[in-house]
Each structure stands twice: as C-alpha cells, then as structure tokens.
Amino acid sequence: MRRVFIMVQDVVMVLVAVALSLVLSRSNLSFEALSKEGLATWAGIVVISHLLFRYSGLYTTVWRFASTPDFFNILKSCAILTFTLYMASLLLRFYRPVAGLNERQFIVFFLVSFTIISAPRLFYRFLRDGASWGILGRKSDDTEPKRALFVGRLGEADLIIRFTRTAQPADYSIAGIMATERGAPLGTRIQGVPVVATMPRLIDVLEDYATGTKSLDLLIFGSGAEHEIEDYSELVRIARHGDINVVQFSGLSELEQHGKLVLDTVEMETILRRPAVASDIQRIGAFVSGKRVLVTGGAGSIGQTLVKRSLELGAEAVLVADNSEFGIFQLSQYVDEK
C-alpha cells in the first residue's frame, strides 16, 4: 500500500507540475482543461510518467536509505519525461496545431517536476535520519547523551553522526570532529557538527577539551587511526589523563534495525602498537612486597596504575612525585577510600 501511495503521489505531482509550468510561464492552451482533448492529454501524461518512473526504478528504492544516486535517478527520470512530452507535442502539431506550448513551458515543467517529486522523499529522509527525528522521538525525562569527540576521516564522521542521532535511546552526541586528513576544511560542518581540529593540531585541541574548557565524556577514534595518526598514543594519554573514555569505531551491526555502532575499548596493545608482555605477578610481588616505592609522575594515568599496583602487591609505602598537586590529591583520595 505504501508503494501504491507513492505511485499515486508521483502522478499527481506530475499533473501539478504541468499546471504550475503553464501558470508560471503565463501560457494558455488552445483547448479546455476538462474537455475530451484535455482529459485525454492528462490521461496520456499519467500513463507515460507512471511507466517511465517504474522503468527507471523509482519504486524499488528504500527512501530511508536513499543517497545521491537515487536523487540523480529522479533528475534523470524527470528529464526523460520532459523530453518525451516535448517530442509528443511536436508530433501532435503535425496533425493539429496546439497553441500555448513552446520550449519555455517544458523547461519550467522539468524544474518544477523534479522539485515537487523530490521534496517529499527528501523531507521523509530528513525526518527519518536527521537530527529532528531524534528530537521528536526523545522523551523529556531521558538523560542527556554523552558528549563525544570523533578523531578520524570525514567520511566515517558522517556515518557515525548519522547513526548516533538515529539511535534510540541516544547514547552519544558528537560535539566535534578532529579530521585526520591534511587540508580538511577547518570550521566547516558535517550534518551540523563542526570540524574543530585538523592535522597537525589534534593534540592542542584535545588538551583544551581535556582541561575542562569544554566538557567531554568520550573520545572516538576512526577505524585504523592507530596506523594513520602519528600522535595516536599521546592523544590516548591526554584523554585518559582527563578522565575521558577512549573507544574505537570498528563497524556497524543490526543494520536492519536502524543500525548500531560497534565501539571497541582501546587496549594497551593498540596504544603500544605491539603485543603486551604478560607480567610475572609473583616475581614482581616478591620484589615490591615490604619495600618503600617511589613513583615519579605518579599523578598521570600510567603513574596512578603503578601506585595502585604497588599497594596491591604489598608495598610498605609509596611516595608519589608529580608537578600536578590536584592529580596527587585525587590519587590520595582514591587511596584513602580503598
């Protein structure tokens, strides 16, 4: 029934386009619109346009997943329809002169028909996959989604933004894009999300977010980012030091149900770019147990891990040296709670 409705809608739009093209070009036909000749003309236009649209594949497209080639198909179909009707009018003039028709009306018809046939599909796509659908479908008592920053290629950014907006409930909201392509247009927007940084200033921008100038909950790397970004390890370190969770986009799942992003936690092997070496816990414990341990840079992400592990392994005391007083305070609070 949905497909039948779309078919009827299209032929009605074609007839509306005919009427609008005559009105806009200020033309009058030599026959009445509701006469036998007029009704036969409209019926012929309906049949020709319907058969042409069916042959062009307009009704085999799932418009929720429509892309540029699908709208180009509408453009091509409208152009062929305009040309067909124009040739039909030329043939008709050999048998009977028809006043009020010339190339100007057909040019206007082409532009109007493409616009009003594409508009409902484009509007449906916007409602279904745009930000408005998430806003309309979101309940007032829902919690705010986590703010995320994406680091990767612009093509992946477009895909991730689209699927984060259609997710129900919305887990993440992309606040900015850090493009890995050199020469990417800084300050431009992809689906309303700004490109906030490009190579090679990724570290500086992430530090601004991590130090609290702008709240951030999640850092999402694009697939293969560990091989494309020279400062990958440093970006991960800055994010973790700022209590920002780090994940990496690896694909999509459940495509038949609006799609779902697959985000994998960034492991130590990825940061080091080599397999992790298994630790000999018993040997390290025997070395640390009962001793006084000094950890330099102990307020950093790696330093905090060393402090916690030393205490777990039975160190008599752990002395922390770091230039961040607030970091040492946070660490002491954690130790006191334990």
Side-chain angles (χ1 to χ4, degrees):
M1 290 300 297
R2 181 181 299 179
R3 183 172 297 182
V4 172
F5 174 79
I6 295 174
M7 292 178 180
V8 173
Q9 171 189 278
D10 285 346
V11 295
V12 170
M13 291 298 184
V14 169
L15 294 178
V16 171
V18 172
L20 286 177
S21 63
L22 294 173
V23 171
L24 293 175
S25 59
R26 299 180 181 180
S27 301
N28 294 315
L29 296 176
S30 58
F31 55 83
E32 294 294 331
L34 298 180
S35 63
K36 292 183 179 180
E37 295 177 342
L39 294 177
T41 301
W42 311 141
I45 293 175
V46 167
V47 172
I48 292 173
S49 60
H50 175 70
L51 294 177
L52 177 61
F53 290 162
R54 284 182 66 95
Y55 178 78
S56 299
L58 255 61
Y59 306 121
T60 60
T61 301
V62 180
W63 284 102
R64 179 175 167 262
F65 301 105
S67 57
T68 305
D70 298 304
F71 285 98
F72 179 77
N73 192 25
I74 297 178
L75 180 69
K76 181 181 66 175
S77 300
C78 291
I80 296 174
L81 176 61
T82 303
F83 180 76
T84 302
L85 295 179
Y86 177 66
M87 295 303 297
S89 68
L90 293 180
L91 292 175
L92 182 62
R93 291 173 188 177
F94 284 105
Y95 299 96
R96 179 176 178 180
V98 179
L101 285 180
N102 54 46
E103 289 76 8
R104 181 178 58 186
Q105 283 79 30
F106 288 98
I107 293 174
V108 176
F109 170 77
F110 166 69
L111 297 176
V112 172
S113 61
F114 172 70
T115 301
I116 63 177
I117 290 175
S118 300
R121 293 167 166 86
L122 187 61
F123 186 64
Y124 173 76
R125 172 69 186 272
F126 170 74
L127 288 179
R128 194 64 181 155
D129 290 343
S132 60
W133 186 263
I135 294 173
L136 294 174
R138 187 179 300 165
K139 297 180 181 179
S140 58
D141 58 347
D142 284 350
T143 58
E144 289 295 325
K146 296 180 180 179
R147 285 170 54 85
L149 202 63
F150 175 77
V151 185
R153 296 182 293 272
L154 296 181
E156 285 184 329
D158 177 69
L159 182 66
I160 288 175
I161 293 169
R162 183 186 309 164
F163 280 93
T164 53
R165 285 177 173 172
T166 56
Q168 294 294 331
D171 297 324
Y172 311 110
S173 174
I174 306 298
I177 302 168
M178 299 173 66
T180 56
E181 294 102 329
R182 293 187 181 274
L186 182 65
T188 56
R189 293 176 178 269
I190 296 179
Q191 298 190 43
V193 179
V195 177
V196 298
T198 58
M199 297 283 281
R201 294 198 65 252
L202 301 183
I203 292 179
D204 296 337
V205 174
L206 182 59
E207 284 180 338
D208 290 340
Y209 277 89
T211 53
T213 56
K214 297 180 180 179
S215 60
L216 196 67
D217 303 300
L218 186 70
L219 184 67
I220 304 176
F221 281 102
S223 58
E226 69 276 14
H227 304 296
E228 297 178 357
I229 306 175
E230 295 180 358
D231 300 319
Y232 179 82
S233 302
E234 182 65 12
L235 291 171
V236 175
R237 185 195 69 79
I238 293 172
R240 290 188 170 179
H241 189 70
D243 292 327
I244 301 171
N245 294 325
V246 182
V247 296
Q248 188 154 2
F249 170 68
S250 61
L252 300 169
S253 65
E254 301 180 11
L255 289 177
E256 70 281 0
Q257 298 180 2
H258 312 305
K260 183 178 180 181
L261 295 176
V262 178
L263 302 176
D264 300 326
T265 303
V266 175
E267 303 293 346
M268 189 59 67
E269 293 89 341
T270 306
I271 301 173
L272 298 176
R273 304 189 184 186
R274 60 176 174 79
V277 177
S279 302
D280 190 343
I281 301 299
Q282 292 182 349
R283 186 176 179 183
I284 297 174
F287 178 76
V288 174
S289 180
K291 295 183 180 179
R292 299 168 63 86
V293 178
L294 170 65
V295 179
T296 59
S301 56
I302 297 178
Q304 289 182 17
T305 302
L306 293 175
V307 171
K308 298 171 185 177
R309 184 57 61 89
S310 299
L311 293 173
E312 293 172 357
L313 294 175
E316 179 183 346
V318 178
L319 179 63
V320 178
D322 199 285
N323 59 5
S324 174
E325 295 182 7
F326 181 69
I328 294 177
F329 171 76
Q330 286 184 313
L331 181 61
S332 65
Q333 292 291 103
Y334 171 81
V335 173
D336 291 340
E337 291 176 0
K338 296 298 181 179

